[in-house]
Amino acid sequence: MDSMNSSQSNPILRTENLSVQFGALMAVGQLDFQIYPGELFGLIGPNGAGKTTVFNAITSTVPLSHGDIYFKGKSLRSLKPHQVVTRGIVRMFQSATIFPKIPVMIHIMNGLSCRTKSSVWNSIIRPPSFHKEEQTSRQRARELIQFTALEGFEDHAAESLSWAQQKRLMLATALATEPRLILLDEPFAGMNADEIGEMIALIQAIRQDGMTVFVIDHNMKVMQRICDRILVLNFGQKLTEGLPEEVAQDSRVIEAYLGGD
Amino acid sequence: MHPRFIIYFLIGLAVVLVPVFVQSNYWIYMFTMVGIFMVLVSSLDLAYGHTGLVSLAHAAFFGIGAYSSAILQLKLAVPILPALLLGTLITAIIAAAIGWPMLRIRGPYFVLGTLAIGIAIEIIIHNWDGLTGGVSLSGIPMFPEVTIFGTTFDLSSKRFFYYLVLAVLVVTQILIRRIVNSRTGRTFASIRENEDLAAALGMNVSGYKLISFVAASTIAAFMGGIYANYMGAIEPEIAGSHMSFNLLVMIVVGGTRSIAGAVIGPLLLWFVPEFLEAAQMYRPLFFGAILIIVIIFMPTGIAGKLRSLHPRMAKWIP
């Protein structure tokens, strides 16, 4: 997405003075940025820069000390984590955070649960709508299994999958929530070159479906390759923001990553 | 038909025919009590095994159900069936009121909180003499005789209660299986496996924990109401934390998330020690020894261990 398109549409996500403080430590301070619909937006920074805290704040996992976050123009401030997902934001964690004992098919169906309606009474009485919803959920889970190349593992416990497969499983489960904005926290961590290639292909496919992607990663080369714009965070403050090639050549970014003399 | 189902059918038939072949009321009582424990263990398993809520207050809800139903019958002359249903409803409301704040705390704090509730309920029942009868509430009416098409059925008989408890056990198992194999059950499992991830995927964790806790307590309360009418007299100890602890040990020993586990636990830890009457004084020792052996050698319980022996065994152990 070029900057002209960005300026023409309303941001899907906007932060205003986003600040998160833990005691005396200002983890993220007065951060302003916007992400536009369909954009692939990157957040980079050295370890401890506050990147994951930004995701925690967006998903209401940590409370905001100051400022606000707006998704499709509405504040997320008073929402609980599960309500943020219902609004259309989902997150993939830094490590392969999974439900270890749950089989792959059910794992993905769990992601669908915030979009389905069957109550506890329906599960006991089992009216036709219950069976229809279960059938639809299974069908959607099968599609996501196919999309993330996990065919043949439907009945395998999540913990039995390889690291890269677990990451793909989490991506499939996150997609099952039908998000409009997906937050990917270091999706390439611990992967070899082939696996990174597969993950990039998946992210690009998601984006082609019209989803907005917000990604954190350390791998500058990969981020330059896939992101439309990149924001650089250092000590919880915005260092710079711009096109990948501009950011890569910014002396402050080079200094933050490599250290100054 | 698969041999597995033939075996299940034969076991089911044997269970149904027990009162026909067993003449001793003592043995019928023993089997009925095992059935009551199976219902309690199964309902606790919904909260503990399926949702990961280690509750030491489960017996408290069994006790509240028993006392509510009995008090309604004794003090307000409410007929048995409405009293049973009202007592269950009252307990469900109390469980929801206790569960709402309690379920916001996690792990060992939740366990300690439920332990405190168990102790408190037992003390309240014990000391509220005017309402609960103090050390014992007696004179709870038996089920009346009923005449259908000229045939009179004695519903106060031990045999009737055996079948009543068996029916409650079967219905409980069906209810739990249906809940577990649905969106609700999948959400319970997600909460058990990773509460934070469940919330991050849009699941209302505290809401579903409450559903699990109240559903488990409601089943226990219903069983408590029947128990009160069965025994005719009840004591505060049935609601105590010691009773809850025993139920929890029965699940751990029998195996969680398993019908077989809900059968093995009460059989091994209630029926066998009762059978070995001479060894009554060694009962806590027997309890402790079994628990230690299971925790060390069978962390998934006896049913879990049997399932893990061979993939075919996993299909045979429900």
Side-chain angles (χ1 to χ4, degrees), chain B residues 18-99:
Chain B
V18 161
V20 177
F21 294 107
V22 177
Q23 296 305 311
S24 159
N25 269 345
Y26 171 73
W27 284 108
I28 297 292
Y29 161 78
M30 292 289 283
F31 287 124
T32 306
M33 285 305 294
V34 169
I36 289 171
F37 274 110
M38 284 177 188
V39 171
L40 291 178
V41 167
S42 301
S43 56
L44 178 57
D45 197 29
L46 186 64
Y48 169 59
H50 291 284
T51 322
L53 302 170
V54 184
S55 170
L56 282 173
H58 198 61
F61 298 110
F62 172 70
I64 295 171
Y67 272 91
S68 306
S69 174
I71 290 165
L72 285 167
Q73 291 170 58
L74 289 172
K75 309 271 179 187
L76 300 171
V78 177
I80 290 180
L81 195 58
L84 187 58
L85 296 176
L86 261 174
T88 305
L89 180 67
I90 290 167
T91 314
I93 293 167
I94 293 172
I98 291 173

Side-chain angles (χ1 to χ4, degrees), chain B residues 8-313:
Chain B
Y8 294 162
F9 174 76
L10 291 175
I11 292 171
L13 190 66
V15 169
V16 169
L17 292 177
V18 161
V20 177
F21 294 107
V22 177
Q23 296 305 311
S24 159
N25 269 345
Y26 171 73
W27 284 108
I28 297 292
Y29 161 78
M30 292 289 283
F31 287 124
T32 306
M33 285 305 294
V34 169
I36 289 171
F37 274 110
M38 284 177 188
V39 171
L40 291 178
V41 167
S42 301
S43 56
L44 178 57
D45 197 29
L46 186 64
Y48 169 59
H50 291 284
T51 322
L53 302 170
V54 184
S55 170
L56 282 173
H58 198 61
F61 298 110
F62 172 70
I64 295 171
Y67 272 91
S68 306
S69 174
I71 290 165
L72 285 167
Q73 291 170 58
L74 289 172
K75 309 271 179 187
L76 300 171
V78 177
I80 290 180
L81 195 58
L84 187 58
L85 296 176
L86 261 174
T88 305
L89 180 67
I90 290 167
T91 314
I93 293 167
I94 293 172
I98 291 173
W100 183 252
M102 280 290 301
L103 291 162
R104 278 152 209 283
I105 52 175
R106 289 195 198 185
Y109 304 103
F110 174 75
V111 181
L112 287 174
T114 58
L115 176 67
I117 286 167
I119 294 168
I121 299 287
E122 187 181 355
I123 292 171
I124 290 169
I125 294 173
H126 207 282
N127 290 292
W128 200 346
D129 294 36
L131 188 69
T132 63
V135 290
S136 177
L137 183 66
S138 55
I140 304 162
M142 295 286 180
F143 278 61
E145 285 188 347
V146 172
T147 304
I148 302 171
F149 300 121
T151 310
T152 303
F153 295 93
D154 179 11
L155 302 189
S156 65
S157 73
K158 293 270 184 275
R159 276 164 178 73
F160 167 75
F161 271 98
Y162 175 87
Y163 284 118
L164 181 62
V165 170
L166 182 60
V168 173
L169 179 61
V170 170
V171 171
T172 300
Q173 292 302 337
I174 293 169
L175 282 179
I176 292 175
R177 291 312 113 192
R178 289 202 157 201
I179 292 172
V180 166
N181 295 313
S182 71
R183 171 179 175 264
T184 306
R186 290 194 293 270
T187 306
F188 289 169
S190 303
I191 293 168
R192 180 192 73 230
E193 295 276 311
N194 190 333
E195 206 173 312
D196 293 328
L197 179 59
L201 290 170
M203 297 176 209
N204 183 352
V205 171
S206 45
Y208 275 92
K209 275 182 173 179
L210 191 65
I211 290 173
S212 175
F213 188 73
V214 172
S217 305
T218 305
I219 295 169
F222 186 72
M223 195 71 261
I226 291 173
Y227 174 82
N229 286 107
Y230 178 54
M231 299 302 286
I234 47 178
E235 297 86 34
E237 287 73 27
I238 63 164
S241 51
H242 186 254
M243 171 81 159
S244 289
F245 178 74
N246 286 348
L247 295 175
L248 202 59
V249 173
M250 283 178 191
I251 293 187
V252 172
V253 169
T256 54
R257 306 195 291 282
S258 157
I259 295 173
V263 173
I264 294 167
L267 272 179
L268 193 63
L269 294 170
W270 195 85
F271 192 80
V272 173
E274 285 285 328
F275 181 67
L276 304 168
E277 249 183 278
Q280 281 302 300
M281 60 185 292
Y282 299 112
R283 196 175 170 143
L285 193 68
F286 178 79
F287 228 72
I290 296 267
L291 183 60
I292 290 168
I293 290 167
V294 168
I295 286 173
I296 294 173
F297 299 105
M298 298 176 247
T300 53
I302 294 171
K305 182 70 181 174
L306 292 173
R307 279 173 168 172
S308 69
L309 292 176
H310 194 277
R312 267 190 201 165
M313 281 291 273

Side-chain angles (χ1 to χ4, degrees), chain A residues 58-60 76 79-90:
Chain A
I58 295 169
T59 53
S60 286
L76 300 177
L79 298 184
K80 290 176 179 163
H82 72 271
Q83 292 171 321
V84 173
V85 183
T86 317
R87 287 273 182 96
I89 301 176
V90 75

